[in-house]
Structures are given as C-alpha cells and as structure tokens.
Amino acid sequence: MSQPAKTHEYWIPTVLFGVLTLLEAELPVAWYPAAYILKAIAVTASLWILRGPLADIRFNPAIALQSAVIGLVLFAVWVGVEETLRYPHLGVRVAFDPTPLKASGWWTPFLVTRLFGLIVMVPIMEEIFWRSFVLRYLTQSDFRQLPMGTFSASSLGIMVAASALAHPEWLVAALASLAYAFWLRRTRSLFGAIVAHATTNAALGAYVLTTGAWQYW
C-alpha cells in the first residue's frame, strides 16, 4: 500500500518555479532560452521526484471534453479582458520573442520546452499546489482527509487572491482560478481542473505564436 503524499511534496515544485522565475528575470534577455529550458528541467524533475501528489490526478475521460470547453472559454475571457480593459498590472512578463532563434539551433528546443512548460508542466504544478493543496489545507490542516473539491469559502477567497497575485494579469488570473476551483468542486476531479487549465494555456500559446502577442507568454 502506497504512503500518502507528504505536505512538502505539494509546494516545493511551485516554490522552485517561483524562485527560478525571479532569478530568470535578472539575467540578460539573450540568456532567457537557456534559463527557461533549465527551469523546465528542474521543475519537471521535482514534480517526478516528489511525485506523491500525482496520485491525486485520476484520469476521467467522461469530463475531458467539458473541461476543455471551459478552458477555451477562459482563454477567450483572458484575451478579451486584457485587450479591452485597462487596469494596473503587477509587473510584466519577460515577453520574449523567439523569432530570432529561427536562425540558430535554439529555436526547436526552446519552442518545444516553452510549450511543454505552458501546457503540461505549469497546469499540473499549479493545480496540485493551488487546488489540491492550498484549498484543502486552508480548510483543514489535515487536508488529506478532505475529499478532492471540498473547501471552505474563506480558503477559496485566500487561494484566489494569492494565485492572482502570482500573475501580472491578476484580474484575469483571479477569474480563471475561481473557475478552475468551481469546476473542481463540481467534478471532484483534479484531472478536470488540469485539462481545463492546460486547454486555456494551449489556446493562449497558439494565440501568441500566431499573433506575436509575446506579452502573454
């Protein structure tokens, strides 16, 4: 019988991601491709080494399509709000334009790694941290005893606020975080939240690559 995941396994990958992102911002822009690739390797390795929380993700194909639709709606909301509503942001993203890399050997490894991070690594990492851990931990310290999708109103408010503050686009991030949480409550499935989140990010990645709106990356 497998042992339950330890508390630190839920938060270390996200903290590592945050620290490396802060360090990444201090480097020359030309170093960004290599820095991002190293960050993706380190965070993905931490998710695998500390893989106890992956057991919270239970494959459920019955909700995959609905989850993807929710993800697409949130993508439309994200871009729509950002393009039409002017509000103060919390800093800026690197907004790295990889087009010049086409003339070098960095183009393919960077693009593949960047999309992997956006569509696979980040949704898994963030849903484990925010929706599986933080929501339940703030509801009850012995959070593993709570069924997935069970959380208090106060824990929801704190989680949404904290996750929003982790993004420059705090307003749309709050809306997305709230939507993922309610979908989690409705389905009791972390898998559904991950599919929705991954779909939002995949659509955003496609939008960035086709329009050159690098500020979303």
Side-chain angles (χ1 to χ4, degrees):
M1 184 175 179
S2 61
Q3 296 295 317
K6 298 177 175 62
T7 299
H8 71 274
E9 294 177 327
Y10 285 85
W11 58 261
I12 283 180
T14 299
V15 170
L16 176 62
F17 180 89
V19 170
L20 293 178
T21 299
L22 290 175
L23 294 175
E24 180 182 85
E26 300 301 317
L27 297 174
V29 174
W31 294 16
Y32 180 74
Y36 187 86
I37 290 172
L38 290 174
K39 178 174 73 172
I41 291 171
V43 174
T44 301
S46 73
L47 284 168
W48 177 248
I49 293 168
L50 305 171
R51 58 185 176 274
L54 294 178
D56 294 346
I57 307 169
R58 298 176 182 175
F59 181 64
N60 184 357
I63 62 170
L65 180 58
Q66 291 172 289
S67 300
V69 170
I70 288 171
L72 288 174
V73 170
L74 288 171
F75 156 72
V77 169
W78 191 290
V79 174
V81 170
E82 288 296 302
E83 293 295 330
T84 60
L85 183 62
R86 296 293 176 258
Y87 66 96
H89 285 53
L90 301 176
V92 295
R93 294 185 181 272
V94 174
F96 179 76
D97 179 358
T99 305
L101 296 180
K102 290 182 178 180
S104 73
W106 282 103
W107 170 254
T108 298
F110 172 73
L111 192 62
V112 169
T113 306
R114 188 68 183 85
L115 292 175
F116 166 79
L118 185 69
I119 300 168
V120 180
M121 181 185 76
V122 167
I124 292 174
M125 175 191 76
E126 290 194 345
E127 293 308 316
I128 284 175
F129 178 70
W130 293 115
R131 256 68 69 178
S132 181
F133 171 58
V134 174
L135 267 180
R136 291 190 295 167
Y137 183 80
L138 293 177
T139 301
Q140 176 179 300
S141 58
D142 189 8
F143 68 98
R144 300 175 197 82
Q145 299 304 312
L146 287 179
M148 188 63 63
T150 300
F151 50 84
S152 65
S154 60
S155 68
L156 175 64
I158 295 171
M159 184 279 295
V160 168
S163 60
L165 292 174
H167 296 77
E169 316 86 354
W170 60 269
L171 178 57
V172 286
L175 295 174
S177 185
L178 190 64
Y180 297 144
F182 276 119
W183 186 234
L184 176 67
R185 169 164 279 182
R186 174 71 180 273
T187 62
R188 305 293 176 175
S189 170
L190 192 64
F191 170 78
I194 289 172
V195 170
H197 195 156
T199 303
T200 301
N201 286 12
L204 194 59
Y207 179 78
V208 168
L209 290 173
T210 55
T211 65
W214 308 111
Q215 70 272 18
Y216 294 126
W217 165 262

